[in-house]
Structure formats: structure tokens, C-alpha cells
Amino acid sequence: KAVVSTQSTGALNLKCGGTLMERAQRLFSTKGRDLNDLDPSVYAKSKKSMEESVRQQEVALLEAFVYHYTELLSEQRAGTRENVERRQARTADEVDDDEDEDVVEEDDDDEDVVPYNPKNLPLGWDGKPIPYWLYKLHGLNLYFNCEICGNFKYRGPKAFQRHFAEWRHAHGMRCLNIPNTAHFANVTLIEDARALWEKIRAEKNKEKFQKEYEEEFEDSHGNVVSRKVFNDLKRQGLL
């Protein structure tokens, strides 16, 4: 009976475990009923479905790694795409000029040897000069001078824009008795900063309440005049 019950439940893809009575109950529950209406818990898990589940988990894990690396390399991918588009839009003369400016790369396993760097390019994390296209992309060939920072020179527009919120520029503005606010962004000359500060102070003084002209008085006839006019009429004895 046990053999017949196991074979019967296996033929219907039901669970074959448990006692003889439990197998008989699962088999008897299918009598006169559609197999699709049965409780999914009575069905046995096939080995093929388990293998498919494991494979889907591995694929999902690989996709998660791919999305993570895509986010990490988004800046490099955008810079590479921009460089490719720029190279595709070059003229023949620009191509010739870039070929003349290509840096000769030498593979040298000896770390004590100074790398070949005729154009004085900045060094990367590996101690070698960065690519020339990356050097031009970030504008590291441009120098910006700031008189407020003691004529300090900043290399590249990114470092120049960032220095307005750093300590050196803030210290220079404090020495001039000028607040380092957004009004003075991109102002590097001391004379320009002082002129702008005087203009801002003049505008603020105009917005202040001036008693002499804005305070109002009412005379005995009900006329409303300013404080200055009221005092003049009072001195003349006209009130």
C-alpha cells in the first residue's frame, strides 16, 4: 500500500513525504476535483524550478553589480563621451595640431625613474602624467589669479570657482572688512571688491528709515507734512 500511495502521489506531482496516512489524505483530496484548484502547498517542488530560481538569483546579482559600477563610472563615461564627440568635430588642422601635442608614453617598470613629462602635466593616482585630452578637458592649462588671495594662482576653472568658499579667499575678504557673500562671487580685484561694497552700503542706507524726510506730522489745519517741513514752519511761526 505504501508503494502504491507513493507512486500515485508522485504521478500527480504531489508531495511524497510523511506517513502513509498523510500521503493517502493528499491523494484522497484530489478525488473529484481539478488539480488547478488544489492548495499549492500539496505540490512537490521540482528540481528544475529550483535550479531556475537559483539561476535567476545569480542573474539578478550580476545586474545589480552592473548598475552599481555604472553609477560609479558615470563621470568617466560622460567625460569619455564628450571627448569622443569633440574629436569627431575637429577639423583637419586641429587633428594635425593634436598629433603634434601627443605625449609619448613610455612603459617603465622601474618606479624610481622619473616619468617622461615634457608638458608638465599633473600626475595621476598611479604617479604618471594624466592623459592630455583629460588635461585639456578640465582646463588645467589655464591659470586664474586672485588679488584678494594675495595674488595666488589657481589652476583650472573648477579650482578657481571652488576657492571663493575656501579659507584663503574668506581671510582676504575679512582683512578688507568686507563680508564674503554671494554678491562678491567672481570678484578677484581688491579695488572692484571695495567699489562693490560701497555701492551695496549706499543702497542699504537708502532703504533705512530717515526721520528727517519719512516721519510725518500734522499741523493745526490737518495738513500732513514731513518732519523737516514741520520744523521749518514752526520756526517761522506759521503754525
Side-chain angles (χ1 to χ4, degrees), residues 218-229:
E218 185 178 352
D219 60 9
S220 58
H221 300 288
N223 299 321
V224 178
V225 295
S226 64
R227 181 188 183 95
K228 185 174 183 303
V229 175

Side-chain angles (χ1 to χ4, degrees), residues 150-162:
N151 291 323
F152 191 86
K153 291 185 178 180
Y154 295 92
R155 191 172 191 175
K158 190 174 183 179
F160 174 71
Q161 291 295 331
R162 190 172 55 241

Side-chain angles (χ1 to χ4, degrees), residues 10 21 31 43 138 155 171 180 199 210 222:
M21 183 62 66
K31 185 176 180 180
Y43 288 100
H138 290 284
R155 191 172 191 175
H171 175 72
N180 189 23
K199 183 179 179 181
Q210 300 180 7

Side-chain angles (χ1 to χ4, degrees), residues 62-78 81:
L62 291 175
E63 290 179 352
F65 278 126
V66 170
Y67 287 132
H68 180 64
Y69 289 138
T70 302
E71 293 178 357
L72 291 178
L73 300 175
S74 59
E75 184 176 353
Q76 287 78 2
R77 290 170 57 242
R81 187 185 302 110

Side-chain angles (χ1 to χ4, degrees), residues 129-141:
I130 64 175
Y132 188 74
W133 66 266
L134 188 62
Y135 170 78
K136 295 292 290 291
L137 178 65
H138 290 284
L140 298 180
N141 57 325

Side-chain angles (χ1 to χ4, degrees), residues 37-115:
D37 298 335
L38 296 177
D39 188 2
S41 62
V42 302
Y43 288 100
K45 293 184 179 180
S46 62
K47 184 177 180 181
K48 184 177 180 181
S49 62
M50 295 179 63
E51 292 177 353
E52 181 66 20
S53 176
V54 172
R55 190 184 68 83
Q56 290 179 357
Q57 291 179 2
E58 293 177 352
V59 172
L61 182 61
L62 291 175
E63 290 179 352
F65 278 126
V66 170
Y67 287 132
H68 180 64
Y69 289 138
T70 302
E71 293 178 357
L72 291 178
L73 300 175
S74 59
E75 184 176 353
Q76 287 78 2
R77 290 170 57 242
T80 303
R81 187 185 302 110
E82 183 178 350
N83 179 58
V84 171
E85 293 175 354
R86 181 183 62 82
R87 284 180 172 273
Q88 291 176 346
R90 292 181 303 173
T91 62
D93 295 337
E94 292 177 347
V95 172
D96 295 338
D97 293 340
D98 287 347
E99 289 178 354
D100 295 338
E101 294 176 353
D102 284 341
V103 179
V104 178
E105 297 182 356
E106 296 180 355
D107 297 331
D108 196 348
D109 297 335
D110 190 359
E111 297 181 357
D112 296 334
V113 177
V114 178

